[in-house]
Coordinates of all heavy atoms in Angstrom, one line a residue:
M28 N 119.5 108.7 90.6 CA 118.8 107.7 89.7 C 117.6 108.3 89.2 O 116.7 108.8 90.0 CB 118.5 106.4 90.6 CG 117.6 105.4 90.0 SD 118.2 104.5 88.6 CE 119.3 103.3 89.4
K29 N 117.5 108.4 87.9 CA 116.3 109.0 87.2 C 115.5 107.8 86.6 O 116.0 107.1 85.8 CB 116.7 110.0 86.2 CG 115.5 110.9 85.8 CD 116.0 112.1 84.9 CE 114.7 112.9 84.6 NZ 115.0 113.8 83.5
I30 N 114.2 107.7 87.0 CA 113.3 106.6 86.5 C 112.1 107.1 85.8 O 111.5 108.1 86.2 CB 112.9 105.8 87.7 CG1 114.1 105.0 88.3 CG2 111.8 104.7 87.3 CD1 113.8 104.2 89.5
A31 N 111.8 106.5 84.7 CA 110.6 106.7 83.9 C 109.6 105.6 84.1 O 110.0 104.4 84.0 CB 110.8 106.9 82.4
V32 N 108.4 105.9 84.5 CA 107.3 104.9 84.6 C 106.4 105.1 83.4 O 105.8 106.2 83.2 CB 106.5 105.1 85.9 CG1 105.4 104.0 86.0 CG2 107.4 105.0 87.1
V33 N 106.3 104.1 82.5 CA 105.6 104.2 81.3 C 104.5 103.1 81.2 O 104.8 102.0 81.4 CB 106.5 104.1 80.1 CG1 105.8 104.3 78.8 CG2 107.7 105.0 80.2
Y34 N 103.3 103.5 81.0 CA 102.2 102.5 81.1 C 101.1 102.8 80.0 O 101.0 103.8 79.4 CB 101.5 102.6 82.5 CG 100.7 103.9 82.6 CD1 99.3 103.9 82.3 CD2 101.3 105.1 83.1 CE1 98.6 105.1 82.4 CE2 100.6 106.3 83.2 CZ 99.2 106.3 82.8 OH 98.5 107.4 82.9
W35 N 100.4 101.7 79.8 CA 99.1 101.7 79.0 C 98.0 101.2 79.9 O 98.2 100.2 80.6 CB 99.2 100.9 77.7 CG 98.0 101.0 76.9 CD1 97.8 102.0 75.9 CD2 96.7 100.3 77.0 NE1 96.5 101.8 75.4 CE2 95.9 100.8 76.0 CE3 96.3 99.3 77.8 CZ2 94.6 100.4 75.9 CZ3 95.0 98.8 77.7 CH2 94.2 99.3 76.7
S36 N 96.9 101.9 79.9 CA 95.8 101.5 80.7 C 94.5 101.8 80.1 O 94.3 103.0 79.6 CB 95.9 102.2 82.1 OG 94.9 101.7 83.0
G37 N 93.6 100.8 79.9 CA 92.3 101.0 79.3 C 91.2 101.5 80.3 O 90.4 102.4 80.0
T38 N 91.2 100.9 81.5 CA 90.2 101.2 82.4 C 90.7 101.7 83.8 O 90.0 101.7 84.8 CB 89.3 99.9 82.7 OG1 90.1 98.9 83.1 CG2 88.5 99.6 81.4
G39 N 92.0 102.0 83.8 CA 92.6 102.7 85.0 C 93.3 101.8 86.0 O 94.0 102.3 86.8
N40 N 93.2 100.5 85.8 CA 93.9 99.6 86.8 C 95.4 99.7 86.7 O 96.1 99.9 87.8 CB 93.5 98.2 86.6 CG 92.0 98.0 86.9 OD1 91.4 98.7 87.7 ND2 91.4 97.0 86.1
T41 N 96.0 99.6 85.5 CA 97.4 99.7 85.4 C 97.9 101.1 85.7 O 99.0 101.3 86.2 CB 97.8 99.3 84.0 OG1 97.2 98.1 83.7 CG2 99.3 99.2 83.8
K42 N 97.1 102.1 85.4 CA 97.4 103.5 85.8 C 97.6 103.6 87.3 O 98.6 104.2 87.7 CB 96.3 104.5 85.2 CG 96.6 105.9 85.5 CD 95.6 106.8 84.8 CE 96.0 108.3 84.9 NZ 95.6 108.9 86.2
A43 N 96.6 103.1 88.0 CA 96.7 103.1 89.5 C 98.0 102.4 90.0 O 98.7 102.9 90.9 CB 95.5 102.5 90.1
M44 N 98.3 101.3 89.3 CA 99.6 100.6 89.7 C 100.8 101.4 89.4 O 101.7 101.5 90.2 CB 99.6 99.2 89.0 CG 98.6 98.2 89.5 SD 98.5 96.8 88.4 CE 100.0 96.0 88.8
A45 N 100.8 102.1 88.2 CA 101.9 102.9 87.8 C 102.1 104.0 88.8 O 103.2 104.4 89.2 CB 101.6 103.5 86.4
E46 N 101.0 104.6 89.3 CA 101.1 105.7 90.2 C 101.7 105.2 91.6 O 102.5 105.9 92.2 CB 99.8 106.4 90.4 CG 99.3 107.2 89.2 CD 97.9 107.6 89.1 OE1 97.1 107.0 89.9 OE2 97.5 108.4 88.3
S47 N 101.3 104.0 92.0 CA 101.9 103.5 93.2 C 103.4 103.2 93.0 O 104.2 103.4 93.9 CB 101.2 102.1 93.6 OG 99.8 102.4 93.8
M48 N 103.8 102.7 91.9 CA 105.2 102.4 91.6 C 106.0 103.7 91.6 O 107.1 103.7 92.2 CB 105.4 101.7 90.2 CG 104.6 100.4 90.0 SD 105.2 99.1 91.1 CE 106.4 98.3 90.1
L49 N 105.4 104.7 91.1 CA 106.0 106.0 91.1 C 106.3 106.5 92.5 O 107.4 106.9 92.8 CB 105.1 107.0 90.3 CG 105.7 108.4 90.0 CD1 106.5 108.4 88.7 CD2 104.6 109.5 90.0
D50 N 105.2 106.4 93.3 CA 105.4 106.8 94.7 C 106.5 106.0 95.4 O 107.3 106.6 96.2 CB 104.0 106.6 95.5 CG 103.0 107.5 95.0 OD1 103.3 108.5 94.3 OD2 101.8 107.2 95.2
G51 N 106.5 104.7 95.2 CA 107.5 103.8 95.8 C 108.9 104.2 95.4 O 109.8 104.3 96.2
A52 N 109.1 104.5 94.1 CA 110.4 104.9 93.6 C 110.8 106.2 94.2 O 112.0 106.4 94.5 CB 110.4 105.0 92.0
K53 N 109.9 107.2 94.2 CA 110.2 108.5 94.8 C 110.6 108.3 96.3 O 111.6 108.9 96.7 CB 108.9 109.4 94.8 CG 108.9 110.4 93.7 CD 107.7 111.3 93.9 CE 107.4 111.9 92.5 NZ 105.9 112.2 92.3
A54 N 109.8 107.5 97.0 CA 110.1 107.3 98.5 C 111.5 106.7 98.6 O 112.2 106.9 99.7 CB 109.1 106.3 99.1
A55 N 112.0 105.9 97.6 CA 113.3 105.3 97.7 C 114.4 106.3 97.2 O 115.6 105.9 97.1 CB 113.3 104.1 96.8
G56 N 114.0 107.5 96.9 CA 115.0 108.6 96.6 C 115.2 108.8 95.1 O 116.1 109.6 94.8
A57 N 114.5 108.1 94.3 CA 114.7 108.3 92.8 C 114.0 109.6 92.3 O 113.0 110.0 92.9 CB 114.2 107.1 92.1
E58 N 114.5 110.1 91.3 CA 113.9 111.2 90.5 C 113.0 110.5 89.5 O 113.4 109.6 88.8 CB 114.9 112.1 89.8 CG 114.5 113.4 89.3 CD 115.6 114.0 88.4 OE1 116.8 113.8 88.7 OE2 115.2 114.7 87.4
T59 N 111.7 110.8 89.5 CA 110.8 110.0 88.7 C 109.9 110.8 87.8 O 109.5 112.0 88.1 CB 109.8 109.2 89.6 OG1 109.2 110.1 90.5 CG2 110.6 108.2 90.4
D60 N 109.5 110.2 86.7 CA 108.5 110.8 85.8 C 107.5 109.8 85.4 O 107.9 108.6 85.2 CB 109.1 111.4 84.5 CG 110.0 112.6 84.8 OD1 109.6 113.5 85.6 OD2 111.1 112.7 84.2
L61 N 106.2 110.1 85.3 CA 105.1 109.2 84.9 C 104.6 109.6 83.5 O 104.3 110.7 83.3 CB 104.0 109.3 85.9 CG 102.8 108.4 85.7 CD1 103.1 106.9 85.9 CD2 101.6 108.8 86.6
Y62 N 104.5 108.6 82.6 CA 104.0 108.8 81.3 C 103.0 107.7 80.9 O 103.3 106.5 81.1 CB 105.2 108.7 80.3 CG 106.3 109.7 80.4 CD1 107.5 109.3 81.0 CD2 106.2 111.0 79.9 CE1 108.5 110.2 81.1 CE2 107.2 111.9 80.0 CZ 108.4 111.5 80.6 OH 109.4 112.4 80.7
S63 N 101.9 108.1 80.3 CA 101.1 107.1 79.5 C 101.9 106.9 78.2 O 102.6 107.9 77.8 CB 99.7 107.5 79.3 OG 99.6 108.6 78.4
V64 N 101.8 105.7 77.7 CA 102.7 105.4 76.6 C 102.6 106.3 75.4 O 103.6 106.6 74.6 CB 102.5 103.9 76.1 CG1 101.2 103.7 75.4 CG2 103.7 103.4 75.3
D65 N 101.4 107.0 75.2 CA 101.3 107.9 74.1 C 102.0 109.2 74.3 O 102.2 110.0 73.4 CB 99.8 108.2 73.8 CG 99.1 108.8 75.0 OD1 99.5 108.5 76.1 OD2 98.2 109.6 74.8
Q66 N 102.6 109.4 75.5 CA 103.4 110.6 75.8 C 104.9 110.3 75.8 O 105.7 111.2 76.1 CB 103.0 111.1 77.2 CG 101.6 111.5 77.4 CD 101.3 111.6 78.9 OE1 101.8 110.8 79.8 NE2 100.6 112.7 79.3
F67 N 105.3 109.1 75.5 CA 106.7 108.7 75.6 C 107.1 108.0 74.4 O 106.4 107.2 73.8 CB 106.8 107.9 76.9 CG 108.3 107.6 77.3 CD1 108.9 108.6 78.0 CD2 108.9 106.5 77.0 CE1 110.2 108.5 78.4 CE2 110.3 106.3 77.4 CZ 110.9 107.3 78.1
S68 N 108.4 108.2 74.0 CA 108.9 107.4 72.9 C 110.3 106.9 73.2 O 111.0 107.4 74.1 CB 109.0 108.3 71.6 OG 109.9 109.4 71.9
A69 N 110.7 105.9 72.5 CA 112.0 105.2 72.8 C 113.2 106.1 72.8 O 114.1 106.0 73.6 CB 112.2 104.0 71.9
D70 N 113.1 107.2 72.0 CA 114.3 108.1 71.9 C 114.4 109.0 73.1 O 115.4 109.7 73.3 CB 114.3 108.9 70.6 CG 113.0 109.7 70.4 OD1 112.3 109.9 71.3 OD2 112.8 110.0 69.2
Q71 N 113.4 109.0 74.0 CA 113.5 109.7 75.3 C 114.2 108.9 76.4 O 114.5 109.4 77.4 CB 112.1 110.1 75.8 CG 111.4 111.1 75.0 CD 109.9 111.3 75.4 OE1 109.0 110.7 74.8 NE2 109.7 112.0 76.5
M72 N 114.4 107.6 76.1 CA 115.0 106.7 77.1 C 116.4 107.1 77.5 O 116.8 106.8 78.7 CB 114.9 105.2 76.6 CG 113.5 104.7 76.4 SD 113.4 103.1 75.7 CE 114.1 102.1 77.1
A73 N 117.1 107.7 76.6 CA 118.5 108.1 76.9 C 118.6 109.0 78.2 O 119.6 109.1 78.8 CB 119.1 108.8 75.7
G74 N 117.5 109.7 78.5 CA 117.5 110.6 79.6 C 117.2 110.0 80.9 O 117.1 110.7 82.0
Y75 N 117.1 108.6 81.0 CA 116.8 107.9 82.2 C 117.8 106.8 82.5 O 118.4 106.2 81.6 CB 115.4 107.3 82.1 CG 114.3 108.4 82.0 CD1 113.9 109.0 80.8 CD2 113.8 109.0 83.2 CE1 112.9 110.0 80.8 CE2 112.8 110.0 83.2 CZ 112.4 110.5 82.0 OH 111.5 111.5 82.0
D76 N 117.9 106.5 83.8 CA 118.7 105.4 84.3 C 117.9 104.1 84.4 O 118.5 103.0 84.3 CB 119.3 105.7 85.7 CG 120.0 107.1 85.7 OD1 120.9 107.2 84.9 OD2 119.5 108.0 86.4
G77 N 116.6 104.2 84.6 CA 115.8 103.0 84.8 C 114.4 103.2 84.4 O 114.0 104.3 84.2
F78 N 113.7 102.1 84.2 CA 112.3 102.1 83.6 C 111.4 101.1 84.3 O 111.8 100.0 84.7 CB 112.3 101.8 82.1 CG 113.3 102.7 81.4 CD1 114.6 102.3 81.2 CD2 112.8 103.9 80.9 CE1 115.5 103.2 80.5 CE2 113.7 104.8 80.2 CZ 115.0 104.4 80.0
L79 N 110.2 101.5 84.5 CA 109.1 100.6 84.9 C 108.0 100.7 83.9 O 107.5 101.8 83.6 CB 108.5 101.1 86.3 CG 109.5 101.0 87.5 CD1 109.0 101.8 88.7 CD2 109.8 99.6 87.9
F80 N 107.8 99.6 83.2 CA 106.8 99.5 82.1 C 105.6 98.7 82.6 O 105.8 97.7 83.3 CB 107.4 98.8 80.9 CG 108.5 99.5 80.2 CD1 109.6 98.7 79.6 CD2 108.6 100.8 80.1 CE1 110.6 99.4 79.0 CE2 109.6 101.5 79.4 CZ 110.6 100.8 78.9
G81 N 104.4 99.2 82.3 CA 103.2 98.5 82.7 C 102.2 98.5 81.6 O 101.9 99.6 81.0
C82 N 101.6 97.4 81.3 CA 100.5 97.3 80.3 C 99.5 96.2 80.7 O 100.0 95.1 81.1 CB 101.1 97.0 79.0 SG 99.8 96.9 77.7
S83 N 98.3 96.4 80.6 CA 97.3 95.3 81.0 C 97.3 94.3 79.9 O 97.7 94.5 78.8 CB 95.9 95.9 81.2 OG 95.6 96.8 80.1
A84 N 97.0 93.0 80.3 CA 96.9 92.0 79.3 C 95.7 92.2 78.4 O 94.6 92.5 79.0 CB 96.8 90.6 80.0
M85 N 95.8 92.2 77.1 CA 94.7 92.4 76.2 C 94.7 91.3 75.2 O 95.6 90.5 75.1 CB 94.9 93.7 75.5 CG 95.0 95.0 76.4 SD 93.5 95.2 77.3 CE 92.4 95.8 76.0
G86 N 93.5 91.1 74.5 CA 93.4 90.1 73.5 C 93.5 88.7 74.2 O 92.7 88.4 75.1
C87 N 94.6 88.0 73.9 CA 94.8 86.7 74.6 C 96.2 86.7 75.2 O 97.1 86.3 74.6 CB 94.6 85.5 73.5 SG 94.7 83.9 74.4
E88 N 96.3 87.3 76.4 CA 97.5 87.3 77.1 C 98.6 88.1 76.3 O 99.8 87.7 76.3 CB 98.0 85.9 77.5 CG 97.0 85.1 78.3 CD 96.7 85.7 79.7 OE1 97.4 86.6 80.1 OE2 95.7 85.3 80.2
V89 N 98.2 89.1 75.6 CA 99.2 89.9 74.8 C 99.1 91.4 75.3 O 98.2 91.8 75.9 CB 98.9 89.8 73.3 CG1 99.1 88.4 72.8 CG2 97.5 90.3 72.9
L90 N 100.2 92.1 74.9 CA 100.2 93.5 75.2 C 99.2 94.3 74.3 O 98.9 93.8 73.2 CB 101.6 94.1 74.9 CG 102.8 93.6 75.7 CD1 104.1 94.0 75.2 CD2 102.6 94.0 77.2
E91 N 98.8 95.4 74.8 CA 97.9 96.2 73.9 C 98.6 96.5 72.6 O 99.8 96.9 72.7 CB 97.5 97.5 74.7 CG 96.6 98.4 74.0 CD 97.2 99.3 73.0 OE1 98.4 99.6 73.1 OE2 96.5 99.7 72.0
E92 N 98.0 96.3 71.5 CA 98.7 96.2 70.2 C 98.9 97.5 69.5 O 99.8 97.7 68.7 CB 98.0 95.2 69.3 CG 98.1 93.8 69.8 CD 97.3 92.8 69.1 OE1 96.2 93.2 68.6 OE2 97.7 91.6 69.0
A93 N 98.0 98.5 69.7 CA 98.1 99.7 68.9 C 99.2 100.7 69.4 O 99.9 101.2 68.6 CB 96.7 100.4 68.9
E94 N 99.3 100.8 70.7 CA 100.3 101.8 71.2 C 101.4 101.1 72.0 O 102.6 101.4 71.7 CB 99.5 102.8 72.2 CG 98.5 103.7 71.5 CD 97.9 104.6 72.5 OE1 97.2 104.1 73.4 OE2 98.0 105.8 72.3
F95 N 101.1 100.2 72.9 CA 102.2 99.7 73.8 C 103.1 98.8 73.1 O 104.3 98.9 73.2 CB 101.6 99.1 75.1 CG 102.6 99.0 76.2 CD1 102.9 100.0 77.0 CD2 103.4 97.8 76.3 CE1 103.9 99.9 78.0 CE2 104.4 97.7 77.2 CZ 104.6 98.8 78.1
E96 N 102.6 97.8 72.4 CA 103.4 96.8 71.7 C 104.4 97.4 70.8 O 105.6 97.1 70.9 CB 102.5 95.8 70.9 CG 103.2 94.8 70.0 CD 103.9 93.7 70.8 OE1 103.3 93.3 71.8 OE2 105.0 93.3 70.4
P97 N 104.0 98.4 69.9 CA 105.1 99.0 69.0 C 106.1 99.7 69.8 O 107.3 99.6 69.5 CB 104.2 100.0 68.2 CG 102.8 99.5 68.3 CD 102.7 98.8 69.6
F98 N 105.7 100.4 70.9 CA 106.7 101.1 71.7 C 107.6 100.1 72.4 O 108.9 100.3 72.3 CB 106.0 101.9 72.9 CG 106.9 102.3 74.0 CD1 107.9 103.2 73.9 CD2 106.8 101.5 75.2 CE1 108.8 103.5 74.9 CE2 107.7 101.8 76.2 CZ 108.7 102.7 76.1
F99 N 107.1 99.0 72.9 CA 107.9 98.1 73.7 C 108.9 97.4 72.7 O 110.1 97.2 73.1 CB 107.0 97.0 74.3 CG 107.6 96.2 75.4 CD1 108.1 96.8 76.5 CD2 107.8 94.8 75.2 CE1 108.7 96.0 77.5 CE2 108.4 94.1 76.2 CZ 108.9 94.7 77.3
Q100 N 108.5 97.2 71.5 CA 109.4 96.6 70.5 C 110.6 97.5 70.2 O 111.8 97.1 70.2 CB 108.7 96.3 69.2 CG 107.7 95.1 69.2 CD 108.3 93.8 69.8 OE1 109.5 93.6 69.5 NE2 107.5 93.1 70.6
E101 N 110.2 98.8 70.1 CA 111.3 99.8 69.8 C 112.2 100.0 71.1 O 113.4 100.1 70.9 CB 110.6 101.1 69.5 CG 111.4 102.0 68.6 CD 110.8 103.4 68.4 OE1 109.5 103.5 68.5 OE2 111.5 104.4 68.2
A102 N 111.6 99.9 72.2 CA 112.4 100.1 73.5 C 113.3 99.0 73.7 O 114.5 99.2 74.0 CB 111.4 100.2 74.7
Ligands
FMN28 C1 89.6 93.2 75.3 C2 90.2 92.7 76.6 C3 91.0 91.6 76.6 C4 91.6 91.1 77.8 N1 92.4 90.1 77.7 C5 93.0 89.6 78.9 C6 93.8 88.5 78.9 O1 94.2 87.9 77.9 N2 94.3 88.1 80.1 C7 94.0 88.6 81.3 O2 94.5 88.2 82.3 N3 93.2 89.7 81.3 C8 92.7 90.2 80.2 N4 91.8 91.3 80.2 C9 91.5 91.9 81.5 C10 92.4 93.1 81.7 O3 93.7 92.9 81.5 C11 92.1 93.6 83.2 O4 90.8 94.0 83.3 C12 93.0 94.7 83.6 O5 92.9 94.9 84.9 C13 92.7 96.0 82.8 O6 93.7 97.0 83.2 P1 93.5 98.5 82.8 O7 92.4 99.1 83.6 O8 94.8 99.1 83.2 O9 93.3 98.5 81.3 C14 91.3 91.8 79.0 C15 90.4 92.9 79.0 C16 89.9 93.3 77.8 C17 89.0 94.5 77.8

């Protein structure tokens, strides 16, 4: 099982959660990669079996709009 953890983080909280999720998936035997959303695009998804997406709430309970939201729509 190959898993990609893809996140957006402004002040590091979601990044810390993404790293913990990565450790958990690794401990469960998965092959894992960690990406901040600017390093990953939807056309890379074919190389993975599963995904963990993380983004902090920004604006008014919405996804970060410049990078994560467009990626998530495409994904
Ligand atoms: C501009 C801005 C808007 C925010 N809007 C929300 C919101 O709508 N709801 C919420 O629960 N938290 C909101 N927050 C709080 C962040 O989601 C929270 O601090 C989060 O832990 C940040 O995670 P990060 O360090 O990964 O960016 C906002 C923070 C900022 C800076």
Side-chain angles (χ1 to χ4, degrees):
M28 166 71 74
K29 196 170 179 197
I30 293 181
V32 180
V33 185
Y34 70 92
W35 184 91
S36 186
T38 55
N40 297 329
T41 310
K42 183 172 185 282
M44 291 168 72
E46 288 163 349
S47 297
M48 301 295 267
L49 188 87
D50 293 344
K53 257 189 204 145
E58 193 188 330
T59 56
D60 291 318
L61 179 69
Y62 298 99
S63 68
V64 71
D65 61 327
Q66 301 166 317
F67 193 78
S68 61
D70 54 21
Q71 291 170 260
M72 293 175 71
Y75 293 90
D76 308 301
F78 305 90
L79 296 165
F80 294 144
C82 181
S83 45
M85 299 300 287
C87 185
E88 304 298 347
V89 294
L90 296 172
E91 185 277 333
E92 292 173 327
E94 292 180 302
F95 196 85
E96 171 76 33
F98 158 73
F99 196 62
Q100 291 306 327
E101 210 188 328

